[in-house]
């Protein structure tokens, strides 16, 4: 999942094709989205437009590099029991949410409980069905979440107990539905928590603005635990029509076009300054 917009940003930082002088001086990166994000609630999100944004607003326990090899992210290490069924993650120290509140193992427990809750009706709740008790909790046969194999050992250790060894289970932690979530934020704002001024993130960017049907704006997270890039603003511009998006790209109003036809690619190929 890390091979989404975050990787594209790294590839294109030095090649802001046709960007305006103002955009270059402000280090603005504009890319096209085919439609409006359905939701920025990462427990519920399930379409591509959601993912492009969430993978830059948030992070998971692990991530993948450009070769799809797992790498530490919010968890600096993990250990697996001899029977392969119990995984313990140790969270990285010094990681804080954008408001300065430290990341805790309980943030994962809350997020995963919410993901499994029948009330959330999350499309990707099945990702946790290999966890002890998770399917029963999701389908209402188990109401006591303490019997689900997800618990915070302490503030920095998260323990997951699987029904059986699952060799690829660690890969699931790179997927946005399993990102941590602050219980106090959701309880304070209810279903409207995933909005500018309410959402609290811990990835490289924060949600600065959202104009439905028009664009979503991200700005750098000053509390991001890793080194930050040199962008001052990302604008995800909603452009449903392919021909309009292509025209905007050629005019320099978009810096990156992720969807276009073979005919358009051939056309752009005659302008090497626009194509990598």
């Amino acid at each position: 999942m890390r091979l989404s917009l975050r990787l594209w940003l790294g590839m294109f930082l030095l090649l802001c094709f046709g960007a305006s002088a103002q955009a270059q001086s402000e280090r603005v990166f504009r890319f096209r989205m085919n439609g409006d994000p359905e939701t920025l609630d990462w427990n519920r999100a399930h379409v591509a437009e959601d993912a492009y944004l969430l993978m830059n607003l948030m992070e998971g326990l692990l991530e993948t590099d450009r070769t799809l090899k797992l790498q530490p992210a919010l968890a600096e290490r993990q250990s697996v029991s001899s029977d392969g069924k119990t995984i313990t993650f140790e969270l990285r120290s010094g990681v804080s949410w954008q408001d300065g509140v430290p990341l805790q193992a309980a943030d994962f427990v809350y997020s995963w409980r919410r993901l499994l809750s029948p009330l959330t009706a999350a499309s990707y709740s099945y990702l946790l069905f290999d966890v002890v008790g998770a399917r029963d909790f999701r389908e209402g046969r188990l109401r006591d979440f303490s019997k689900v194999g997800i618990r915070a050992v302490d503030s920095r250790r998260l323990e997951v107990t699987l029904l059986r060894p699952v060799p690829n289970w660690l890969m699931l932690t790179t997927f946005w539905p399993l990102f941590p979530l602050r219980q106090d934020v959701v309880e304070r704002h209810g279903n409207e928590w995933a909005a500018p001024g309410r959402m609290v993130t811990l990835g490289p960017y924060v949600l600065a603005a959202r104009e439905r049907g028009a664009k979503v704006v991200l700005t750098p997270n000053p509390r991001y635990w890793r080194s930050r890039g040199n962008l001052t603003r990302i604008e995800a511009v909603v452009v449903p029509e392919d021909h309009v998006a292509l025209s905007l790209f050629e005019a320099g109003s978009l810096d990156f076009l992720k969807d276009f036809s073979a005919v358009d690619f051939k056309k752009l190929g005659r302008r090497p300054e626009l194509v990598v």
Side-chain angles (χ1 to χ4, degrees), residues 19-76:
S20 66
Q22 180 182 10
Q24 289 178 353
S25 64
E26 294 178 351
R27 300 186 188 275
V28 177
F29 184 88
R30 297 184 176 94
F31 74 98
R32 179 245 184 139
M33 289 194 300
N34 298 58
D36 222 18
E38 288 189 7
T39 177
L40 295 180
D41 177 339
W42 47 87
N43 285 158
R44 291 188 167 110
H46 66 282
V47 301
E49 281 70 24
D50 306 341
Y52 299 139
L53 299 166
L54 295 177
M55 296 301 290
N56 289 280
L57 290 166
M58 287 294 296
E59 294 185 345
L61 290 164
L62 303 175
E63 64 185 10
T64 55
D65 62 18
R66 297 186 183 191
T67 66
L68 295 183
K69 182 178 179 181
L70 284 172
Q71 300 291 343
L74 297 180
E76 60 183 355

Side-chain angles (χ1 to χ4, degrees), residues 134-155:
R135 181 191 288 267
D136 288 340
F137 187 82
R138 173 64 176 85
E139 297 177 357
R141 293 187 295 273
L142 175 64
R143 297 183 180 277
D144 184 356
F145 190 77
S146 68
K147 295 182 180 178
V148 177
I150 301 167
R151 73 183 187 101
V153 179
D154 53 36
S155 63

Side-chain angles (χ1 to χ4, degrees), residues 167-188:
N168 66 339
W169 196 87
L170 288 175
M171 184 66 73
L172 299 182
T173 67
T174 70
F175 200 23
W176 65 84
L178 272 63
F179 290 169
L181 182 59
R182 286 260 298 280
Q183 182 173 359
D184 63 309
V185 172
V186 177
E187 290 182 347
R188 184 182 310 128

